Amino acid sequence: MAEEFPVVIADHEAPAWWTSAVVYQIYPRSFQDSDGDGIGDLRGVLQRIDHLAELGVDVVWFSPVYRSPQDDNGYDISDYRDVDPIFGSLADLDEVVQALHSRGIRVVMDLVVNHTSDEHTWFMESRASTDSPKRDWYWWRPPRPGFAAGEPGAEPTNWASYFSGSTWELDPGTGEYYLHLFSRKQPDLNWENPAVRDAVYEMMRWWLDRGIDGFRMDVINLISKTMADGGALADGVVKDGLYGDAWPLTANGPRLHEYLQEMHREVFEGRREALLLVGETPGATVEDGRLFTDPARGELDMVFTFEHVGLDHGPGGRFDRRPLDLRELKATLARWQTGLKDAGWNALYWCNHDQPRIVSRFGDDGAYRRESATMLATVLHLHRGTPYVYQGEELGMTNAHFAALAEYRDIESLRYAAEARAHGRLTDDQLVEALAFGSRDNARTPVQWDDTASAGFTTGEPWLAVNPNHVTVNAEVECRDPASVFHHYRRLIALRHEDPVVRLGDFSLVAPEHPHVYAFTRSGGGPTLFVAGNFSGEPQRIGVEGVDPATAGRVIGNYDDAPRVEEAELVLRPWEAVVLRAAR
Ligand code: ISL
C-alpha cells in the first residue's frame, strides 16, 4: 500500500502528530451493510467515507474484522491475518485503507492478544494433548486438589469471568481446565512463553507492513498475570455469593511493562513516530497511566482509563445504576489531566462499543438531546488529550431503550441475565431495567443514516434492532442542520486542529465543588480559554476565571448567542456549553 502521508521526522522536541488528532471508532458490524445480510461490512464503510471526511477526523480505529466465530462479535479471533467473510475480504480491507489514506485519514486496527478464539489453530493444537508443543501457549491447570475433573467445585479457582460464570473451562479430552477471563471461547494466551510473544510480534509487523498506522490494544494490561509467579493459584474474594475476584492474580502482572517495552523494540522501533498506539487498560490508575504513556519509557502513546465511565455504577457494577455526582466526574478527569501533564498523554472518550450512549447517561436524551449531546462533546473535546468519537455519537444517538430481554444480542448481557435468573437475583422486570441502563448493545444498534425502515443501514433484517428514533435522529437530518450535534462535532474537531491552546494548553479546574457546572481553563501557548458546561436542565450560574467576560470572544457554544453575564458570573441555560477566549 502506498504511503500517503508526509514522512514523519523523528523530533523528540516537537509534539507528536496525534496531539492534534481526533479518532473515530467504527464498529463494523453496526456501521453500514452493503450486501443485505443485516451485518455491517467493509464495502459498507466505503459508502460512508465522505461522512468521515466531512466530520474531519484524522484517524479511524476499526473494531475487529478478523476471522472469528463471532462469539464476542469479533473479539474472539481465529485467524489474525485474514478478514472474516461476514465483513468481506483482505482485498476489501486494502481498498478501505487506501480510500481513507487518500482522504488523509490514518487507520488503526484493533489488536486482541490477551486471548484468541478457541477455534484458533494455536488453541486447537494446545488442547490436543498435555504434551503438545503448544500446550504452554495457554493457561492449563489440573482440577482443584481433592476434586475430580468436571465435579462441581473442581475449577482450579473460584474466579468470576467478566462475562459471568467461572474463568475455567474443562477440556474433557485431557481432563484439565483452561483459563478464560472472558467467554469460554476466548482462552487467555500465556505471555510468559516467549514463543507466544514472538508470534504476536510477527503478526503485528505483518499488519504494519501492509500499511496500517497503529493499534488499539484490547485489555492490554491483562497480558501479564501475577498467577504466573511460581504458578500459585488462590481463590478471590467472593462478591456475589458465587464467584471470586480474579483481578489480583490475572491483571497488571509483574511483567506487564517489560512486555510492552519488548513489543516496542520488536515491532515499533524505527517507525513509532508515524503510528498511534493506544492501550485499553481497565482498572488502571493515574500512576499506571503515566508508566504506560511516558514517551521516555517506550510503551504506548495513550491509554483508555475507565474511572470516569464507572462513576454511575453501583457496587453491583455496570448493570447497577447510581446517579452521577458531577463533582466526582470533575475530580476524576482532573486527576488524569494533572497526572499526565508533564509526561504522558490522555485518550479522551465518553463512548465506545462497550459503553452505553453518553447522552442517555450523563445527558438528557429526551427534550434536551441536542443541547446535552453538544455540551458533553464540548467539555470532553476541550480537555488536553486525543478525543475519540464513537460511531453515532456525532449524531447524538441514544441508548436503545429495549423493553424486552429478547432484543439483546451481546454475550455479556445474555450471560448476565441467564445467571441472574438462574439464581433468582433479579426479576425479569428488574433485568429489563438493568440491561436498558448497562448493556453494551446500547452502543451497538445500527448507525442511523436516514429515516427509512432500517435507517439506511441495511436492506435486510438488521442483526440488532434499529432504534425507532432514527425517524428523527439520523445523519441526513443532522448534516442539513447547522446547529446539529454533527456540525458541533465538526467544529470541535476543526478547533483542535487550529488552536494550539486546545491542543497543548494546561488544564485547570474551576469551581470543583459546583454540583452542576463543569468549568475549567486551558492556558499557555496563546490566549487563555475558559470552558463551562451545564450538566443540568436548569439555569446555572458560574464565576468566570482567567478571562474577562466583557471582552472575551465566544469560540464555540451550543446556543445561538452568548450566555448572559450578571455580576461577572455566566448564567448558563439548560445543558449549555460555552468556550470563551481571553482578549489578546
Ligand atoms: O464492558 C466490560 C464488561 O463489563 C468491560 O469489562 C470490557 O469487557 C473490558 O473493557 C474489555 O473490553 C474489551 O475486551 C473484551 C471485549 O468483549 C470488549 O468488547 C473489548 O472492548 C474481550 O475482548
Side-chain angles (χ1 to χ4, degrees):
M1 238 168 273
E3 176 57 79
E4 314 274 352
F5 299 99
V7 175
V8 181
I9 309 290
D11 173 355
H12 299 289
E13 296 308 308
W17 64 268
W18 35 255
T19 57
S20 65
V22 176
V23 183
Y24 187 92
Q25 182 191 354
I26 290 186
Y27 191 69
R29 170 175 280 270
S30 304
F31 189 67
Q32 176 67 56
D33 180 21
S34 72
D35 59 6
D37 68 355
I39 300 176
D41 49 40
L42 288 165
R43 303 214 70 80
V45 174
L46 285 174
Q47 297 170 22
R48 299 296 181 185
I49 304 261
D50 285 349
H51 177 81
L52 305 173
E54 194 187 341
L55 189 56
V57 294
D58 307 274
V59 182
V60 165
W61 146 32
F62 285 99
S63 276
V65 291
Y66 314 98
R67 262 194 199 266
S68 160
Q70 302 291 323
D71 189 53
D72 185 19
N73 290 357
Y75 283 89
D76 50 316
I77 297 169
S78 55
D79 184 349
Y80 288 108
R81 302 189 194 203
D82 202 0
V83 166
D84 197 276
I86 62 168
F87 297 123
S89 64
L90 265 181
D92 293 331
L93 181 61
D94 286 347
E95 224 176 299
V96 168
V97 173
Q98 226 137 33
L100 288 166
H101 279 178
S102 73
R103 301 298 191 91
I105 300 173
R106 289 181 161 91
V107 175
V108 162
M109 296 293 278
D110 222 301
L111 179 79
V112 188
V113 289
N114 171 69
H115 43 269
T116 65
S117 163
D118 66 337
E119 296 182 37
H120 195 292
T121 52
W122 296 345
F123 186 76
M124 296 199 293
E125 285 173 42
S126 182
R127 87 179 326 166
S129 74
T130 50
D131 54 12
S132 154
K134 290 218 166 55
R135 189 62 168 181
D136 193 38
W137 281 45
Y138 294 84
W139 298 93
W140 291 98
R141 291 292 181 271
R144 189 186 286 266
F147 286 78
E151 221 182 303
E155 292 83 12
T157 64
N158 69 351
W159 297 340
S161 143
Y162 289 102
F163 293 163
S164 304
S166 168
T167 56
W168 299 102
E169 179 77 8
L170 175 66
D171 174 51
T174 57
E176 290 190 333
Y177 290 81
Y178 63 86
L179 177 77
H180 60 88
L181 295 180
F182 294 90
S183 99
R184 65 180 180 80
K185 289 186 67 62
Q186 292 167 297
D188 282 52
L189 278 166
N190 176 14
W191 276 65
E192 294 290 308
N193 185 334
V196 168
R197 306 204 297 277
D198 283 347
V200 169
Y201 301 153
E202 197 192 323
M203 173 271 285
M204 293 173 75
R205 285 189 297 262
W206 184 84
W207 277 103
L208 292 178
D209 292 343
R210 288 185 74 83
I212 65 134
D213 308 293
F215 296 103
R216 173 271 185 187
M217 304 181 187
D218 193 61
V219 288
I220 201 66
N221 58 334
L222 304 186
I223 58 174
S224 168
K225 302 186 194 326
T226 308
M227 66 187 276
D229 269 351
L233 287 183
D235 283 340
V237 176
V238 176
K239 288 180 293 190
D240 60 4
L242 283 173
Y243 293 100
D245 186 6
W247 179 267
L249 290 181
T250 59
N252 261 338
R255 301 184 67 187
L256 176 56
H257 296 287
E258 174 199 328
Y259 293 159
L260 289 173
Q261 289 171 15
E262 180 185 78
M263 175 192 285
H264 213 281
R265 284 193 307 274
E266 296 287 325
V267 184
F268 306 130
E269 198 104 297
R271 45 183 166 190
R272 168 170 187 183
E273 273 72 18
L275 303 177
L276 187 154
L277 309 173
V278 52
E280 188 207 25
T281 57
T285 62
V286 177
E287 291 66 42
D288 297 326
R290 203 168 23 218
L291 294 176
F292 289 129
T293 67
D294 176 350
R297 295 172 52 85
E299 297 186 18
L300 302 171
D301 296 327
M302 59 193 93
V303 293
F304 294 121
T305 156
F306 279 62
E307 292 182 349
H308 68 300
V309 289
L311 293 173
D312 57 352
H313 295 173
R318 67 177 304 145
F319 297 108
D320 180 14
R321 178 179 213 158
R322 77 170 176 123
L324 173 73
D325 181 337
L326 181 67
R327 285 165 291 210
E328 287 183 9
L329 179 65
K330 293 190 281 187
T332 302
L333 290 176
R335 226 169 356 89
W336 280 85
Q337 291 283 299
T338 313
L340 302 189
K341 173 174 179 284
D342 299 319
W345 190 252
N346 276 293
L348 308 171
Y349 77 97
W350 291 133
C351 298
N352 61 41
H353 63 293
D354 295 332
Q355 297 294 330
R357 296 281 181 183
I358 202 65
V359 64
S360 302
R361 233 175 136 174
F362 295 175
D364 172 351
D365 68 5
Y368 289 114
R369 187 189 63 86
R370 187 197 69 83
E371 289 80 0
S372 61
T374 48
M375 183 283 290
L376 286 160
T378 311
V379 167
L380 186 78
H381 282 240
L382 267 290
H383 280 73
R384 187 173 196 262
T386 299
Y388 286 69
V389 180
Y390 174 67
Q391 64 184 36
E393 181 183 343
E394 81 282 16
L395 308 175
M397 276 179 63
T398 70
N399 275 356
H401 301 297
F402 289 144
L405 296 179
E407 301 269 24
Y408 289 94
R409 299 287 175 268
D410 178 27
I411 180 168
E412 182 191 46
S413 298
L414 299 182
R415 292 195 43 104
Y416 173 82
E419 199 174 283
R421 264 175 159 173
H423 298 283
R425 270 207 305 272
L426 296 177
T427 64
D428 277 8
D429 283 351
Q430 288 169 322
L431 264 176
V432 168
E433 204 180 310
L435 297 193
F437 167 66
S439 175
R440 306 194 297 184
D441 280 340
N442 283 308
R444 300 176 180 185
T445 59
V447 171
Q448 296 165 205
W449 297 107
D450 60 38
D451 63 1
T452 61
S454 290
F457 165 69
T458 182
T459 54
E461 186 65 34
W463 72 275
L464 178 68
V466 170
N467 191 320
N469 70 12
H470 75 274
V471 179
T472 50
V473 179
N474 64 61
E476 231 172 61
V477 170
E478 288 282 319
C479 292
R480 264 202 312 267
D481 173 7
S484 68
V485 182
F486 177 83
H487 286 289
H488 196 81
Y489 269 87
R490 197 179 51 68
R491 286 188 288 268
L492 286 170
I493 293 166
L495 181 63
R496 174 165 298 269
H497 292 158
E498 288 153 14
D499 191 323
V501 183
V502 174
R503 182 182 189 184
L504 295 168
D506 286 343
F507 172 96
S508 175
L509 208 51
V510 172
E513 291 308 318
H514 196 302
H516 301 297
V517 176
Y518 195 140
F520 54 94
T521 57
R522 300 289 310 282
S523 56
T528 295
L529 298 173
F530 173 87
V531 182
N534 178 358
F535 274 66
S536 84
E538 311 294 326
Q540 302 289 346
R541 301 172 70 98
I542 180 83
V544 182
E545 269 180 40
V547 307
D548 172 3
T551 56
R554 192 174 74 136
V555 180
I556 191 168
N558 62 350
Y559 277 73
D560 279 349
D561 51 353
R564 205 149 39 89
V565 180
E566 274 177 18
E567 293 151 12
E569 286 193 324
L570 293 183
V571 186
L572 296 173
R573 288 158 282 191
W575 302 101
E576 179 163 14
V578 69
V579 181
L580 303 176
R581 184 187 279 126
R584 279 169 201 272

